Amino acid sequence: MSLPPPLPANERERLQALRRYEVLDTLPEEAFDRIVRLAARMLRVPVAIINFVDEDRQWGKATHGTGSTEAPREHSFCAWTILSDEVMVVENAHEDPRFRDNPQVTGAPHIHLYAGAPLVTPGGYRLGSLCVVSPGPHEIREEDRTVLRELAAMVVDELEFRRARRDLEREVAVRERALRDLTENRAHTETLAVLLASLEVDLLPVEAARLTAEHVARQVGLDWVALASAGGNRVTARTVWHAPGVPDALLHTARQGVPLPGSLTGRTLERGAPLFVDESAQGPFADLGVRAAAALPLGRMGDVAHVYLAARLRPVGWSAADRQLLEAAASSVRVAFERAERAASFPG
Protein backbone atom coordinates (compact mmCIF):
# COMPACT_ATOMS: atom_id res chain seq x y z
CA MET A 1 0.00 0.00 0.00
CA SER A 2 1.40 3.44 -0.98
CA LEU A 3 2.33 5.85 1.80
CA PRO A 4 0.40 9.13 2.15
CA PRO A 5 2.64 12.21 1.99
CA PRO A 6 3.17 14.11 5.25
CA LEU A 7 2.18 17.78 5.54
CA PRO A 8 4.83 20.49 5.34
CA ALA A 9 5.58 22.20 8.66
CA ASN A 10 4.24 25.51 7.29
CA GLU A 11 1.15 24.02 5.65
CA ARG A 12 -1.26 26.71 6.83
CA GLU A 13 0.91 29.57 5.57
CA ARG A 14 1.66 27.65 2.36
CA LEU A 15 -2.04 27.30 1.56
CA GLN A 16 -2.60 31.01 2.26
CA ALA A 17 0.19 31.85 -0.18
CA LEU A 18 -1.33 29.54 -2.80
CA ARG A 19 -4.72 31.25 -2.49
CA ARG A 20 -3.17 34.68 -2.92
CA TYR A 21 -2.06 33.71 -6.43
CA GLU A 22 -5.67 32.92 -7.41
CA VAL A 23 -4.52 30.24 -9.83
CA LEU A 24 -6.50 27.16 -8.79
CA ASP A 25 -9.26 26.09 -11.18
CA THR A 26 -8.38 28.75 -13.74
CA LEU A 27 -8.41 28.24 -17.50
CA PRO A 28 -5.29 27.21 -19.45
CA GLU A 29 -2.81 30.00 -20.22
CA GLU A 30 -0.24 29.92 -22.98
CA ALA A 31 2.58 31.15 -20.75
CA PHE A 32 2.32 28.01 -18.60
CA ASP A 33 1.57 25.69 -21.54
CA ARG A 34 4.76 26.87 -23.20
CA ILE A 35 6.82 25.91 -20.15
CA VAL A 36 5.53 22.33 -19.99
CA ARG A 37 6.13 21.87 -23.73
CA LEU A 38 9.68 23.12 -23.24
CA ALA A 39 10.21 20.86 -20.21
CA ALA A 40 9.10 17.76 -22.11
CA ARG A 41 11.36 18.61 -25.06
CA MET A 42 14.45 19.49 -23.03
CA LEU A 43 14.19 16.47 -20.71
CA ARG A 44 13.22 14.11 -23.57
CA VAL A 45 10.06 12.77 -21.90
CA PRO A 46 6.49 12.38 -23.19
CA VAL A 47 4.72 14.09 -20.26
CA ALA A 48 5.30 17.36 -18.40
CA ILE A 49 2.93 18.96 -15.88
CA ILE A 50 2.56 22.03 -13.68
CA ASN A 51 0.69 20.85 -10.58
CA PHE A 52 -0.46 22.79 -7.55
CA VAL A 53 -1.20 21.08 -4.25
CA ASP A 54 -4.06 22.39 -2.11
CA GLU A 55 -5.66 20.98 1.05
CA ASP A 56 -6.84 17.69 -0.39
CA ARG A 57 -5.84 17.40 -4.03
CA GLN A 58 -3.32 18.13 -6.72
CA TRP A 59 -4.56 20.18 -9.65
CA GLY A 60 -2.85 20.66 -13.01
CA LYS A 61 -2.59 24.18 -14.39
CA ALA A 62 -0.76 23.06 -17.54
CA THR A 63 -0.14 19.62 -19.03
CA HIS A 64 1.73 18.26 -22.04
CA GLY A 65 1.22 14.69 -23.20
CA THR A 66 -1.60 13.86 -20.83
CA GLY A 67 -5.05 15.01 -19.78
CA SER A 68 -6.31 16.21 -16.43
CA THR A 69 -3.96 15.44 -13.55
CA GLU A 70 -6.35 16.26 -10.72
CA ALA A 71 -6.03 13.58 -8.06
CA PRO A 72 -6.45 13.13 -4.32
CA ARG A 73 -3.51 14.54 -2.41
CA GLU A 74 -2.79 11.13 -0.88
CA HIS A 75 -1.96 9.84 -4.40
CA SER A 76 0.07 12.88 -5.42
CA PHE A 77 3.76 12.59 -6.25
CA CYS A 78 3.93 16.38 -6.14
CA ALA A 79 2.74 16.37 -2.53
CA TRP A 80 6.06 14.69 -1.76
CA THR A 81 7.99 17.13 -3.94
CA ILE A 82 6.82 20.15 -1.91
CA LEU A 83 8.48 18.73 1.21
CA SER A 84 11.89 19.93 0.01
CA ASP A 85 13.51 22.65 -2.08
CA GLU A 86 15.39 20.01 -4.07
CA VAL A 87 14.36 18.27 -7.28
CA MET A 88 12.74 14.95 -6.40
CA VAL A 89 13.53 12.06 -8.72
CA VAL A 90 11.80 8.67 -8.55
CA GLU A 91 13.67 6.47 -11.04
CA ASN A 92 11.37 3.46 -10.70
CA ALA A 93 8.03 4.11 -9.01
CA HIS A 94 7.26 0.36 -9.12
CA GLU A 95 10.04 -0.28 -6.61
CA ASP A 96 9.55 2.77 -4.39
CA PRO A 97 7.53 1.86 -1.26
CA ARG A 98 5.88 5.30 -1.33
CA PHE A 99 4.43 4.81 -4.79
CA ARG A 100 4.42 1.17 -5.92
CA ASP A 101 0.72 0.75 -5.09
CA ASN A 102 -0.24 4.26 -6.25
CA PRO A 103 -3.15 4.25 -8.76
CA GLN A 104 -1.08 6.49 -11.06
CA VAL A 105 1.60 3.76 -11.12
CA THR A 106 -0.58 0.68 -11.33
CA GLY A 107 -2.92 2.42 -13.78
CA ALA A 108 -2.89 5.38 -16.18
CA PRO A 109 -0.62 7.23 -16.73
CA HIS A 110 1.55 4.26 -15.58
CA ILE A 111 4.29 6.33 -14.01
CA HIS A 112 7.70 4.68 -14.03
CA LEU A 113 9.94 7.75 -13.84
CA TYR A 114 8.99 10.92 -12.02
CA ALA A 115 11.11 14.06 -11.64
CA GLY A 116 9.70 17.20 -10.05
CA ALA A 117 11.07 20.60 -9.07
CA PRO A 118 9.09 22.46 -6.37
CA LEU A 119 7.52 25.80 -7.25
CA VAL A 120 9.07 27.95 -4.53
CA THR A 121 7.72 31.47 -4.04
CA PRO A 122 9.92 34.44 -3.08
CA GLY A 123 8.57 33.95 0.43
CA GLY A 124 9.82 30.37 0.51
CA TYR A 125 6.47 28.59 0.15
CA ARG A 126 6.29 25.50 -2.07
CA LEU A 127 2.99 25.64 -3.94
CA GLY A 128 3.36 22.64 -6.22
CA SER A 129 5.79 21.38 -8.78
CA LEU A 130 6.90 21.34 -12.37
CA CYS A 131 7.31 17.64 -13.06
CA VAL A 132 8.08 15.28 -15.92
CA VAL A 133 6.84 11.72 -16.19
CA SER A 134 7.74 8.71 -18.29
CA PRO A 135 5.93 5.34 -18.46
CA GLY A 136 9.30 3.60 -18.92
CA PRO A 137 12.87 3.88 -17.62
CA HIS A 138 14.54 7.20 -18.34
CA GLU A 139 17.78 8.72 -17.16
CA ILE A 140 17.68 12.08 -15.39
CA ARG A 141 21.07 13.73 -15.58
CA GLU A 142 22.40 16.51 -13.37
CA GLU A 143 21.89 19.03 -16.16
CA ASP A 144 18.26 17.83 -16.39
CA ARG A 145 17.78 18.69 -12.73
CA THR A 146 19.19 22.15 -13.40
CA VAL A 147 16.85 22.68 -16.35
CA LEU A 148 13.87 21.56 -14.27
CA ARG A 149 14.81 23.98 -11.48
CA GLU A 150 15.18 26.87 -13.95
CA LEU A 151 11.86 26.13 -15.62
CA ALA A 152 10.16 25.86 -12.22
CA ALA A 153 11.56 29.30 -11.39
CA MET A 154 10.00 30.56 -14.64
CA VAL A 155 6.62 29.22 -13.51
CA VAL A 156 6.93 31.17 -10.26
CA ASP A 157 8.02 34.28 -12.20
CA GLU A 158 4.86 33.95 -14.28
CA LEU A 159 2.76 33.57 -11.15
CA GLU A 160 4.34 36.72 -9.72
CA PHE A 161 3.71 38.56 -12.98
CA ARG A 162 0.06 37.48 -12.99
CA ARG A 163 -0.41 38.62 -9.41
CA ALA A 164 1.32 41.96 -10.00
CA ARG A 165 -0.77 42.56 -13.12
CA ARG A 166 -3.97 41.66 -11.28
CA ASP A 167 -3.06 43.92 -8.36
CA LEU A 168 -2.26 46.73 -10.78
CA GLU A 169 -5.56 46.27 -12.62
CA ARG A 170 -7.41 46.38 -9.31
CA GLU A 171 -5.52 49.48 -8.23
CA VAL A 172 -6.29 51.18 -11.55
CA ALA A 173 -9.96 50.23 -11.17
CA VAL A 174 -10.01 51.68 -7.64
CA ARG A 175 -8.35 54.89 -8.84
CA GLU A 176 -10.75 55.21 -11.76
CA ARG A 177 -13.70 54.67 -9.45
CA ALA A 178 -12.30 57.24 -7.01
CA LEU A 179 -11.83 59.70 -9.86
CA ARG A 180 -15.40 59.15 -11.02
CA ASP A 181 -16.66 59.62 -7.48
CA LEU A 182 -14.60 62.78 -7.09
CA THR A 183 -15.90 64.17 -10.38
CA GLU A 184 -19.45 63.25 -9.45
CA ASN A 185 -19.13 64.75 -5.99
CA ARG A 186 -17.72 67.96 -7.43
CA ALA A 187 -20.60 68.17 -9.90
CA HIS A 188 -23.08 67.47 -7.11
CA THR A 189 -21.49 70.19 -4.98
CA GLU A 190 -21.71 72.70 -7.82
CA THR A 191 -25.35 71.78 -8.41
CA LEU A 192 -26.12 72.16 -4.71
CA ALA A 193 -24.54 75.61 -4.80
CA VAL A 194 -26.85 76.58 -7.67
CA LEU A 195 -29.88 75.26 -5.78
CA LEU A 196 -28.91 77.16 -2.66
CA ALA A 197 -28.47 80.33 -4.69
CA SER A 198 -31.95 79.87 -6.15
CA LEU A 199 -33.36 80.26 -2.64
CA GLU A 200 -32.39 83.91 -2.77
CA VAL A 201 -34.37 84.50 -5.97
CA ASP A 202 -38.08 85.32 -5.76
CA LEU A 203 -39.57 82.80 -8.20
CA LEU A 204 -43.01 81.37 -8.77
CA PRO A 205 -43.26 77.67 -7.79
CA VAL A 206 -43.41 76.52 -11.40
CA GLU A 207 -40.40 78.65 -12.31
CA ALA A 208 -38.48 77.32 -9.30
CA ALA A 209 -39.39 73.74 -10.24
CA ARG A 210 -38.27 74.27 -13.83
CA LEU A 211 -34.98 75.91 -12.78
CA THR A 212 -34.10 73.18 -10.29
CA ALA A 213 -35.11 70.45 -12.75
CA GLU A 214 -32.80 71.83 -15.44
CA HIS A 215 -29.82 71.68 -13.07
CA VAL A 216 -30.65 68.46 -11.26
CA ALA A 217 -31.91 66.36 -14.19
CA ARG A 218 -28.59 66.22 -15.99
CA GLN A 219 -26.64 65.46 -12.82
CA VAL A 220 -29.00 62.82 -11.48
CA GLY A 221 -29.99 61.35 -14.85
CA LEU A 222 -33.68 62.20 -14.81
CA ASP A 223 -36.08 61.83 -17.69
CA TRP A 224 -39.10 63.65 -16.31
CA VAL A 225 -39.84 66.22 -13.58
CA ALA A 226 -43.29 67.47 -12.62
CA LEU A 227 -45.25 69.28 -9.95
CA ALA A 228 -48.09 67.12 -8.70
CA SER A 229 -51.23 68.66 -7.21
CA ALA A 230 -53.60 66.57 -5.13
CA GLY A 231 -57.11 67.79 -4.44
CA GLY A 232 -60.02 65.57 -3.57
CA ASN A 233 -59.40 62.03 -4.77
CA ARG A 234 -57.40 62.85 -7.86
CA VAL A 235 -53.86 63.96 -8.58
CA THR A 236 -52.63 65.78 -11.68
CA ALA A 237 -49.03 66.56 -12.57
CA ARG A 238 -47.72 69.54 -14.47
CA THR A 239 -44.57 68.63 -16.39
CA VAL A 240 -41.85 71.24 -15.85
CA TRP A 241 -39.01 69.40 -17.63
CA HIS A 242 -38.55 66.26 -19.64
CA ALA A 243 -35.79 64.65 -21.69
CA PRO A 244 -36.12 64.05 -25.43
CA GLY A 245 -37.87 60.81 -26.21
CA VAL A 246 -40.16 60.73 -23.20
CA PRO A 247 -43.41 59.08 -24.34
CA ASP A 248 -46.22 61.52 -25.11
CA ALA A 249 -48.53 59.12 -23.29
CA LEU A 250 -46.65 59.79 -20.05
CA LEU A 251 -47.07 63.56 -20.42
CA HIS A 252 -50.74 63.15 -21.34
CA THR A 253 -51.53 60.82 -18.43
CA ALA A 254 -49.79 63.14 -15.98
CA ARG A 255 -51.81 66.09 -17.29
CA GLN A 256 -55.11 64.21 -17.22
CA GLY A 257 -54.45 62.86 -13.77
CA VAL A 258 -54.84 59.56 -11.93
CA PRO A 259 -56.76 58.50 -8.79
CA LEU A 260 -55.00 59.71 -5.65
CA PRO A 261 -55.40 56.54 -3.52
CA GLY A 262 -52.50 54.17 -4.13
CA SER A 263 -50.63 56.61 -6.38
CA LEU A 264 -47.03 57.63 -5.74
CA THR A 265 -48.25 61.08 -4.71
CA GLY A 266 -50.86 59.59 -2.40
CA ARG A 267 -48.35 57.29 -0.72
CA THR A 268 -45.94 60.20 -0.27
CA LEU A 269 -48.60 62.40 1.32
CA GLU A 270 -49.55 59.56 3.68
CA ARG A 271 -45.92 59.18 4.72
CA GLY A 272 -45.31 62.90 5.00
CA ALA A 273 -41.76 62.24 3.85
CA PRO A 274 -39.88 61.72 0.56
CA LEU A 275 -40.48 58.41 -1.20
CA PHE A 276 -37.88 56.88 -3.54
CA VAL A 277 -38.90 53.88 -5.60
CA ASP A 278 -36.04 52.07 -7.31
CA GLU A 279 -38.19 49.79 -9.43
CA SER A 280 -41.62 51.03 -10.40
CA ALA A 281 -43.22 47.75 -11.39
CA GLN A 282 -46.85 48.71 -10.97
CA GLY A 283 -49.21 51.65 -11.29
CA PRO A 284 -50.22 53.73 -14.28
CA PHE A 285 -46.80 55.33 -14.80
CA ALA A 286 -45.02 51.96 -14.78
CA ASP A 287 -47.11 51.01 -17.80
CA LEU A 288 -45.80 54.16 -19.49
CA GLY A 289 -42.15 53.26 -19.07
CA VAL A 290 -41.26 54.74 -15.68
CA ARG A 291 -38.79 52.42 -13.94
CA ALA A 292 -37.59 54.54 -11.01
CA ALA A 293 -39.49 57.37 -9.37
CA ALA A 294 -39.11 59.87 -6.56
CA ALA A 295 -41.74 61.95 -4.82
CA LEU A 296 -41.00 64.70 -2.30
CA PRO A 297 -43.76 66.57 -0.44
CA LEU A 298 -43.83 70.34 -0.83
CA GLY A 299 -46.65 71.30 1.51
CA ARG A 300 -50.17 72.61 0.96
CA MET A 301 -51.72 75.74 -0.49
CA GLY A 302 -55.29 75.87 0.65
CA ASP A 303 -56.93 72.52 0.04
CA VAL A 304 -54.32 71.39 -2.48
CA ALA A 305 -51.21 69.37 -1.53
CA HIS A 306 -48.18 69.58 -3.78
CA VAL A 307 -45.46 67.01 -4.47
CA TYR A 308 -42.21 67.23 -6.46
CA LEU A 309 -42.07 64.25 -8.84
CA ALA A 310 -39.01 62.92 -10.68
CA ALA A 311 -38.68 59.80 -12.82
CA ARG A 312 -36.24 57.71 -14.78
CA LEU A 313 -37.11 55.48 -17.69
CA ARG A 314 -34.16 53.23 -16.81
CA PRO A 315 -34.17 50.83 -13.81
CA VAL A 316 -31.39 52.67 -11.97
CA GLY A 317 -31.64 53.01 -8.20
CA TRP A 318 -31.35 56.30 -6.33
CA SER A 319 -27.95 56.85 -4.74
CA ALA A 320 -27.46 58.87 -1.55
CA ALA A 321 -26.10 61.75 -3.65
CA ASP A 322 -29.13 61.59 -5.96
CA ARG A 323 -31.47 61.80 -2.99
CA GLN A 324 -29.55 64.73 -1.55
CA LEU A 325 -29.84 66.73 -4.77
CA LEU A 326 -33.53 65.94 -5.20
CA GLU A 327 -34.26 66.94 -1.62
CA ALA A 328 -32.36 70.20 -2.17
CA ALA A 329 -34.37 70.82 -5.35
CA ALA A 330 -37.63 70.16 -3.50
CA SER A 331 -36.54 72.54 -0.76
CA SER A 332 -36.08 75.31 -3.32
CA VAL A 333 -39.56 74.72 -4.71
CA ARG A 334 -41.01 74.45 -1.22
CA VAL A 335 -39.63 77.92 -0.39
CA ALA A 336 -41.21 79.27 -3.60
CA PHE A 337 -44.58 77.83 -2.52
CA GLU A 338 -44.24 79.39 0.94
CA ARG A 339 -43.48 82.78 -0.60
CA ALA A 340 -46.45 82.46 -2.95
CA GLU A 341 -48.71 81.53 -0.06
CA ARG A 342 -47.54 84.53 1.98
CA ALA A 343 -48.07 86.81 -0.99
CA ALA A 344 -51.61 85.46 -1.40
CA SER A 345 -52.32 86.05 2.28
CA PHE A 346 -51.02 89.64 2.21
CA PRO A 347 -51.78 90.95 -1.27
CA GLY A 348 -51.18 94.52 -0.24
Side-chain angles (χ1 to χ4, degrees), residues 39 42-45 87-91 113-116 132-134 137-146 148:
M42 296 186 71
L43 274 75
R44 312 165 307 283
V45 291
V87 173
M88 185 180 87
V89 176
V90 179
E91 293 183 350
L113 165 95
Y114 170 93
V132 294
V133 171
S134 173
H138 184 82
E139 180 185 7
I140 295 294
R141 304 183 294 244
E142 187 58 38
E143 55 265 35
D144 294 330
R145 294 173 182 258
T146 300
L148 209 52

Side-chain angles (χ1 to χ4, degrees), residues 184 188 220 276 278 312 316-325:
E184 180 178 309
H188 276 61
V220 178
F276 294 89
D278 286 342
R312 289 170 171 156
V316 179
W318 304 104
S319 68
D322 294 340
R323 297 178 184 220
Q324 182 185 37
L325 283 183

